[in-house]
């Protein structure tokens, strides 16, 4: 913005602290031809613009933060840091001493007037801001975690100028994360001071209050009553507006007793009887509050009267330190007036100071001074009513005035040409006068909004695109991590559920079924005219979770006498096993080396989850694997022992009861085994046939003369649970055989047994036959005969006989280990 009338002139320079002047701790007051100024030091200066002379210098005991001038009584009030409020009488006759100077004859040299504690009217080290309204000093102090607003009145004693406190109110400080200034690296929220402003109802007289119009204004009736209530309007009470460094914007009627104030924000006030209301939360330190009139039809010549004679204002402007601005104005909505809180964001920050003149806002950043208009530009399509109402614009277009480093700004006067004259203070401590043209009709503002706004829009669009790309990338990464965490959380829930269920089962608690279990069975499969034995595993999910991708069902086969030798391992990936469904897999029960199958075989069903699956599925970087220690986690669902009874290939051929042979076994089982083996022991070294049979790593000659037989006797009392389900027409001997074969997959083929004989084939195609009958044992107890079941084993292979005998003994042991048989009097003995 360039104009021939634009002029900046430096009129004086003052000492300032190292590092420049602080934000919010300097002040300028213009009264007639005098400028009252404090610059963050212990000095207060009075400068005469007409004579371009420094008229007086006051030195206070501490740093001066705020000034208040009461011209009607010729007093200057100052706030000293960590000290209190001082009142100085302005005696112009005694503050100047005329001294002759050899080079500048007739020059006036000011005397530095020290101010002592006798001028202190309010002694309070916690006060950070104050304002004088109706002979009342309203001060704000920071006390621990709250703001305390204190009220002081002059003492009744005529001999003293002291003020006494008669009331106060506390407001809680809002704690939040505070941004750090890029220029100084310090937190401005702890350095900035509260901002106080006083608004009056219509017809109030504020000319005698103070000459500092930047801190006082008269509001229109509509806005005043909407914000503060009808009672405050009728009582004509001044209202104190408070802007705090924590972002709270509050109001407090001075005549606040028995008043009801409308609330538009969440109040943090500790005492509701004081009528303090939080009108808005700016969420950043409040740096500037001022009321203004935004009617575009107001002539330039009337603006001086607006600032000096107290023309009613129709809006309140609040500016935050980091660029957020809120304009409060009465608005017509649904045929009724309501307060409209219009929020804007100034692109430049941090904001150091501001000032309103008419419908224009001037504000300074650390780099430049800007101007913007707070009314809609006049357009041929706009109605006259819309123009005169001063509608707020939808967007703002600040214009740079090419003036930098302004830390404080105040209006001095408005010339007859419509130019605005400001008195400003730079960060280097230099006092300057700025004369800025303000003519909306001469095209100056059009050039400003057209050229500057076009370039600014391009920059903003480019910045928005860059920020949008980064935000999209960050959002995508966050979503991937959230999904990975949700997936991992589900995995941990599944593991916890299974382990807690297994723990409860180990402690003896009865459960209907496991939340996630694996059932194992064996069956014969015929493929290419050849029978093969396979293991069927069914993974069942009864939990409320879904087993997603990444889970693996691992089937391990362990052999050997202690089931520690790994025979084979098969893994099957789980593909989204929902609750209530199951997955079936098959594993071949292969023969070992040399064509042998070593029994028994322990089957372990293991559910494994790989952590690398999470990283690959959600595209997480490899560094995330440091959090997931190890390759994965596994759960042993169950263990299952497979013996020869599981592997028998049962024959469905029927045998008549008369065909059941009677071998006439001797009474003792050992004699039965030796008698059946006597032909094998008496054989010569020459044999008619040699084939491989069961055994880990050995071969035994099988004599076709066979068969090899053995017997097992089981007490009927031990099998009570087995026989209790036997119907009246069933043969108990057949029930015992069916119980032994219950885990065989082909048990359905022999369920219709009429004779207690089961015939089958072993995996190496050796014939096996089981017989059962009820007998009485006479020589085992002195009390009499014992009723028992005798189970005969007949095998064509000696190895098959041994494995079959161990399998039946294992069934009896398992049945005997139940709670029913743990009482005293029961014992287990095995013979062969």
């Amino acid at each position: 913005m360039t104009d021939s009338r634009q002029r900046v002139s430096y009129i004086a320079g003052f000492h300032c602290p190292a590092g420049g002047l602080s934000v919010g701790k300097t002040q300028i007051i213009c009264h007639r031809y005098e400028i009252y100024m404090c610059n963050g030091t212990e000095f207060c200066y009075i400068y005469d613009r007409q004579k371009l002379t420094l008229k007086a210098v006051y030195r206070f005991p501490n740093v001066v933060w705020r000034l208040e001038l009461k011209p009607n009584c010729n007093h200057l009030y100052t706030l000293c840091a960590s000290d209190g409020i001082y009142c100085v009488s302005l005696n112009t006759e005694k503050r100047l001493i005329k001294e002759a100077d050899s080079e500048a004859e007739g020059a006036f040299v000011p005397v530095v007037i020290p101010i002592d504690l006798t001028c202190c009217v309010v002694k309070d080290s916690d006060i950070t801001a104050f304002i004088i309204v109706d002979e009342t000093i309203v001060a704000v102090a920071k006390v621990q975690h709250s703001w305390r607003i204190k009220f002081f009145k002059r003492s009744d004693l005529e001999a003293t100028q002291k003020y006494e406190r008669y009331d106060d109110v506390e407001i809680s400080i809002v704690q939040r994360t505070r941004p750090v200034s890029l220029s100084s690296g310090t937190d401005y929220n702890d350095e900035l001071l509260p901002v106080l402003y006083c608004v009056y109802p219509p017809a109030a007289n504020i000319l005698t209050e103070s000459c500092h119009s930047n801190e006082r204004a008269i509001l229109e009736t509509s806005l005043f009553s909407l914000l503060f209530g009808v009672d405050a309007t009728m009582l004509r009470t001044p209202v104190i507006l408070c802007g705090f460094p924590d972002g709270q914007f509050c109001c407090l009627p001075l005549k606040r007793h028995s008043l009801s104030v409308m609330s538009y924000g969440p109040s943090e006030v500790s005492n509701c009887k004081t009528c303090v209301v939080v009108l808005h939360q700016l969420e950043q330190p409040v740096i500037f509050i001022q009321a203004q009139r935004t009617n575009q039809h107001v002539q330039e010549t009337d603006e001086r009267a607006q600032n000096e004679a107290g023309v009613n204002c129709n809006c309140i402007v609040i500016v935050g330190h980091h660029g957020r601005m809120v304009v409060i104005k009465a608005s017509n909505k649904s045929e009724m007036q309501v307060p409209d809180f219009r929020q804007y964001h100034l692109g430049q920050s941090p904001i150091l100071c501001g000032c309103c003149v008419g419908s224009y806002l001037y504000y300074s950043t650390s780099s430049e001074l800007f101007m913007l208009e707070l009314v809609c530009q006049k357009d041929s399509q706009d109605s006259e009513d819309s123009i005169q109402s001063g509608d707020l614009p939808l967007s703002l277009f600040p214009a740079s005035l090419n003036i930098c480093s302004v830390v404080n700004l105040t209006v001095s006067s408005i010339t007859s040409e419509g130019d605005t004259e400001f008195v400003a203070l730079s960060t280097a401590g230099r006092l300057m006068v700025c004369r800025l043209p303000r003519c909306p009709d001469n095209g100056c503002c059009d050039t400003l909004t057209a050229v500057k706004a076009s370039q600014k829009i391009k920059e903003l669009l480019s910045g928005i695109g860059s920020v949008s790309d980064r935000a999209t990338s960050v959002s995508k990464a966050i979503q991937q991590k959230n999904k990975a965490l949700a997936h991992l959380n589900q995995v941990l829930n599944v593991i916890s559920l299974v382990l807690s269920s297994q723990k409860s089962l180990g402690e003896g608690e009865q459960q209907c079924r496991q939340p996630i279990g694996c059932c194992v069975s064996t069956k014969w499969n015929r493929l290419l005219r050849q029978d093969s034995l396979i293991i069927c595993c069914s993974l069942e999910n009864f939990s409320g979770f879904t087993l997603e991708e990444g889970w693996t069902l691992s089937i391990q086969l362990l052999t050997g006498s202690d089931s520690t030798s790994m025979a084979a391992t098969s893994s099957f990936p789980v593909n989204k096993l929902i609750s209530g469904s199951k997955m079936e897999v098959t594993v071949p029960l292969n023969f070992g080396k040399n064509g042998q199958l070593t029994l028994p075989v322990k089957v372990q069903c293991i559910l494994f989850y790989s952590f690398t699956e999470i990283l690959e599925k959600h595209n997480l970087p490899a560094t995330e694997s440091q959090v997931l220690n190890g390759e994965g986690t596994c759960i042993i669902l169950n263990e299952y022992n497979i013996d020869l009874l599981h592997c028998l290939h049962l024959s469905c051929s029927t045998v008549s009861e008369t065909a059941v042979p009677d071998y006439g076994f001797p009474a003792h089982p050992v004699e039965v085994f030796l008698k059946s083996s006597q032909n094998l022991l008496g054989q010569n070294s020459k044999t008619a046939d040699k084939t491989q049979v069961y055994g880990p790593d050995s071969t035994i000659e099988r004599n076709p003369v066979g068969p090899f037989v053995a017997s097992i006797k089981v007490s009927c009392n031990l099998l009570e649970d087995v026989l209790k389900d036997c119907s009246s027409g069933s043969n108990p001997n057949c029930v015992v055989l069916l119980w032994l074969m219950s885990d065989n997959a082909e048990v359905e083929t022999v369920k219709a047994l009429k004779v207690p004989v089961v015939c089958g084939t072993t995996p190496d195609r050796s014939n096996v036959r089981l017989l059962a009958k009820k007998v009485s044992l006479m020589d085992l107890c002195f009390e009499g005969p014992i009723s028992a079941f005798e189970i005969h084993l007949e095998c064509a292979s000696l190895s098959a006989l041994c494995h079959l005998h161990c399998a039946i003994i294992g069934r009896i042991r398992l049945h005997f280990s139940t709670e029913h048989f743990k009482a005293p009097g029961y014992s287990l003995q095995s013979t062969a």
Side-chain angles (χ1 to χ4, degrees):
M1 177 178 179
T2 59
D3 192 277
S4 59
R5 292 174 297 174
Q6 177 175 337
R7 185 173 65 253
V8 177
S9 59
Y10 294 92
I11 58 177
F14 299 93
H15 169 74
C16 66
L21 301 182
S22 301
V23 180
K25 297 181 180 178
T26 62
Q27 191 171 2
I28 301 174
I29 298 178
C30 295
H31 178 55
R32 296 176 184 172
Y33 296 105
E34 293 182 340
I35 299 175
Y36 299 81
M37 184 194 71
C38 65
N39 61 348
T41 63
E42 67 271 22
F43 295 100
C44 177
Y45 304 93
I46 302 177
Y47 187 85
D48 191 334
R49 285 190 58 191
Q50 194 173 25
K51 297 181 181 180
L52 300 179
T53 305
L54 190 63
K55 298 179 66 173
V57 179
Y58 294 95
R59 183 169 186 172
F60 290 86
N62 212 328
V63 176
V64 179
W65 281 350
R66 302 291 296 172
L67 300 176
E68 276 284 337
L69 178 63
K70 298 195 68 176
N72 58 336
C73 58
N74 204 26
H75 283 87
L76 178 66
Y77 290 81
T78 61
L79 171 62
C80 290
S82 304
D83 203 346
I85 301 175
Y86 287 76
C87 178
V88 178
S89 177
L90 302 177
N91 190 346
T92 57
E93 297 179 357
K94 295 182 179 180
R95 68 186 181 193
L96 296 179
I97 297 179
K98 184 177 180 180
E99 294 182 356
D101 190 89
S102 59
E103 298 181 358
E105 185 176 354
F108 289 93
V109 179
V111 174
V112 177
I113 304 174
I115 305 299
D116 53 19
L117 292 177
T118 58
C119 297
C120 183
V121 295
V122 176
K123 183 65 176 177
D124 192 333
S125 60
D126 296 327
I127 295 179
T128 56
F130 79 101
I131 190 173
I132 302 177
V133 182
D134 290 346
E135 302 299 331
T136 299
I137 296 180
V138 182
V140 177
K142 185 177 181 181
V143 182
Q144 294 182 350
H145 301 292
S146 63
W147 301 106
R148 180 172 294 173
I149 303 177
K150 303 179 180 181
F151 300 87
F152 300 89
K153 276 192 175 183
R154 190 185 298 272
S155 176
D156 296 334
L157 299 177
E158 297 182 357
T160 180
Q161 295 290 332
K162 302 294 184 181
Y163 281 72
E164 295 180 350
R165 188 175 70 180
Y166 67 91
D167 198 2
D168 58 15
V169 60
E170 287 190 4
I171 304 175
S172 300
I173 296 179
V174 178
Q175 301 292 339
R176 58 169 49 88
T177 303
R178 301 168 178 176
V180 177
S181 171
L182 298 177
S183 59
S184 62
T186 58
D187 192 349
Y188 269 125
N189 294 24
D190 293 333
E191 295 182 356
L192 295 176
L193 304 178
V195 179
L196 299 181
Y197 194 85
C198 183
V199 292
Y200 293 80
N205 184 13
I206 65 172
L207 295 180
T208 59
E209 283 295 327
S210 172
C211 64
H212 197 198
S213 61
N214 286 352
E215 293 184 351
R216 288 163 180 81
I218 300 175
L219 291 185
E220 286 186 346
T221 305
S222 57
L223 182 60
F224 193 91
S225 59
L226 284 175
L227 289 178
F228 315 122
V230 180
D231 295 341
T233 306
M234 296 180 64
L235 290 176
R236 296 183 179 180
T237 174
V239 177
I240 309 298
L241 302 181
C242 308
F244 296 103
D246 59 1
Q248 295 186 90
F249 175 62
C250 310
C251 68
L252 172 63
L254 192 63
K255 302 175 184 179
R256 60 201 174 281
H257 300 289
S258 303
L259 278 179
S260 59
V261 181
M262 301 178 67
S263 176
Y264 295 97
S267 179
E268 301 289 342
V269 184
S270 60
N271 186 1
C272 60
K273 295 181 180 180
T274 55
C275 297
V276 180
V277 174
V278 179
L279 293 176
H280 192 77
Q281 175 54 257
L282 204 62
E283 297 182 352
Q284 55 185 255
V286 178
I287 203 71
F288 167 68
I289 301 173
Q290 189 170 339
Q292 67 175 136
R293 188 167 189 86
T294 59
N295 287 19
Q296 194 179 40
H297 74 288
V298 175
Q299 300 296 325
E300 301 293 342
T301 55
D302 296 334
E303 292 179 355
R304 182 183 181 90
Q306 174 182 336
N307 289 277
E308 295 185 0
V311 174
N312 297 352
C313 301
N314 62 354
C315 73
I316 300 174
V317 180
I318 308 102
V319 179
H321 184 57
H322 303 291
R324 183 171 296 175
M325 181 177 72
V326 175
V327 181
I328 307 174
K329 190 175 183 181
S331 176
N332 294 321
K333 292 183 180 180
S334 302
E335 299 181 356
M336 63 179 297
Q337 281 195 329
V338 294
D340 182 15
F341 289 74
R342 186 74 61 86
Q343 184 167 298
Y344 301 95
H345 186 77
L346 306 176
Q348 304 80 14
S349 64
I351 309 297
L352 305 184
C353 62
C355 182
C356 290
V357 180
S359 59
Y360 290 87
L361 170 66
Y362 296 85
Y363 64 93
S364 175
T365 66
S366 57
S367 58
E368 288 187 85
L369 181 66
F370 292 90
M371 178 191 76
L372 59 86
E373 191 172 5
L374 293 180
V375 295
C376 295
Q377 291 290 337
K378 185 175 180 180
D379 194 354
S380 58
Q381 298 179 355
D382 295 335
S383 63
E384 189 67 21
D385 295 339
S386 176
I387 296 174
Q388 292 185 1
S389 63
D391 291 339
L392 298 175
L394 297 178
S395 56
L396 301 177
F397 300 97
S400 175
L401 300 178
N402 299 323
I403 301 175
C404 62
S405 303
V406 175
V407 74
N408 202 297
L409 185 71
T410 187
V411 180
S412 173
S413 62
I414 297 178
T415 64
S416 58
E417 294 87 357
D419 297 345
T420 305
E421 196 173 70
F422 296 92
V423 176
L425 186 65
S426 69
T427 55
R430 302 181 69 182
L431 189 65
M432 54 188 177
V433 176
C434 308
R435 184 175 180 179
L436 305 176
R438 288 174 46 259
C439 11
D441 298 330
N442 63 0
C444 176
C445 292
D446 294 340
T447 303
L448 174 68
T449 58
V451 178
K452 295 287 185 179
S454 176
Q455 181 65 25
K456 193 64 179 179
I457 289 174
K458 292 180 181 179
E459 296 176 359
L460 290 176
L461 290 177
S462 176
I464 290 173
S466 177
V467 172
S468 177
D469 293 341
R470 293 197 302 269
T472 302
S473 176
V474 172
S475 176
K476 186 177 180 181
I478 291 176
Q479 289 178 0
Q480 289 176 349
K481 290 188 177 182
N482 288 340
K483 290 181 180 179
L485 289 175
H487 197 170
L488 184 61
N489 181 63
Q490 188 180 32
V491 171
L492 296 178
N493 288 335
V494 170
I495 295 174
S496 176
L497 183 63
V498 174
L499 293 180
S500 60
S501 176
Q502 291 178 353
K503 182 179 179 181
S504 300
L505 189 63
E507 293 175 354
E509 297 183 10
Q510 296 296 328
Q511 290 187 348
C512 297
R513 59 188 177 188
Q514 295 294 317
I516 297 178
C518 189
C519 299
V520 179
S521 62
T522 58
K523 71 175 182 178
W524 287 88
N525 184 33
R526 187 169 184 81
L527 182 63
L528 300 177
R529 297 183 180 181
Q530 184 178 2
D531 293 335
S532 60
L533 187 63
I534 61 175
I535 298 176
C536 299
C537 300
S538 177
L539 178 63
E540 299 176 338
N541 181 14
F542 297 108
S543 67
F545 302 99
T546 299
L547 299 183
E548 302 284 351
E549 296 180 0
W551 288 101
T552 301
L553 177 62
S554 179
I555 308 298
Q556 292 185 353
L557 305 182
L558 304 176
T559 60
S561 58
D562 54 354
S563 299
T564 57
S565 300
M566 183 71 68
T569 301
S570 301
S571 298
F572 304 91
V574 179
N575 186 14
K576 200 172 184 179
L577 187 65
I578 63 175
S579 178
S581 60
K582 63 181 179 179
M583 183 185 75
E584 295 184 354
V585 297
T586 58
V587 177
L589 192 58
N590 296 324
F591 289 87
K593 59 183 180 179
N594 301 325
Q596 300 174 1
L597 175 64
T598 304
L599 292 175
V601 176
K602 177 183 284 188
V603 180
Q604 280 190 343
C605 300
I606 301 174
L607 199 59
F608 176 79
Y609 189 85
S610 175
F611 290 147
T612 57
E613 185 73 19
I614 296 181
L615 303 178
E616 295 175 358
K617 181 178 179 181
H618 300 285
N619 299 322
L620 296 179
T623 54
E624 301 290 343
S625 61
Q626 298 176 359
V627 181
L628 306 174
N629 190 13
E631 296 182 357
T633 182
C634 61
I635 319 169
I636 299 178
L637 297 180
N638 63 347
E639 295 179 346
Y640 199 80
N641 291 320
I642 296 179
D643 52 29
L644 191 55
L645 287 176
H646 295 92
C647 303
L648 286 180
H649 195 358
L650 300 182
S651 173
C652 58
S653 59
T654 59
V655 181
S656 62
E657 190 171 358
T658 58
V660 178
D662 187 3
Y663 293 101
F665 294 131
H668 200 278
V670 177
E671 294 181 7
V672 175
F673 176 75
L674 293 177
K675 184 177 180 180
S676 64
S677 309
Q678 62 182 354
N679 292 332
L680 178 64
L681 297 176
Q683 288 293 326
N684 297 326
S685 59
K686 297 181 180 181
T687 58
D689 188 18
K690 292 184 180 180
T691 53
Q692 293 178 348
V693 295
Y694 292 98
D697 295 304
S698 63
T699 59
I700 300 178
E701 297 178 353
R702 184 178 62 189
N703 194 332
V705 176
F708 300 96
V709 296
S711 69
I712 300 173
K713 296 181 178 65
V714 185
S715 172
C716 293
N717 294 333
L718 187 61
L719 299 179
E720 285 181 355
D721 291 348
V722 176
L723 300 175
K724 70 179 181 180
D725 296 330
C726 179
S727 59
S728 57
S730 301
N731 187 346
N733 298 328
C734 297
V735 172
V736 173
L737 289 180
L738 290 177
W739 168 69
L740 290 175
M741 307 303 301
S742 60
D743 292 334
N744 193 292
E746 298 179 348
V747 68
E748 297 292 336
T749 61
V750 294
K751 273 192 175 181
L753 282 178
K754 295 183 179 179
V755 257
V757 179
V758 173
C759 300
T761 306
T762 62
D764 66 343
R765 297 179 179 81
S766 298
N767 295 326
V768 172
R769 186 164 63 167
L770 300 177
L771 303 92
K773 65 178 180 179
K774 196 170 185 179
V775 297
S776 296
L777 302 179
M778 307 297 295
D779 55 348
L780 294 181
C781 183
F782 295 104
E783 297 178 357
I786 298 176
S787 179
F789 285 96
E790 185 176 13
I791 302 171
H792 295 275
L793 315 179
E794 180 181 342
C795 302
S797 167
L798 180 58
S799 178
L801 179 67
C802 296
H803 284 287
L804 189 59
H805 184 272
C806 291
I808 295 175
I809 293 298
R811 293 290 194 282
I812 298 173
R813 285 183 182 275
L814 183 62
H815 183 69
F816 187 75
S817 63
T818 58
E819 295 291 337
H820 178 71
F821 300 103
K822 289 184 179 179
Y826 288 95
S827 61
L828 180 65
Q829 296 178 352
S830 62
T831 58

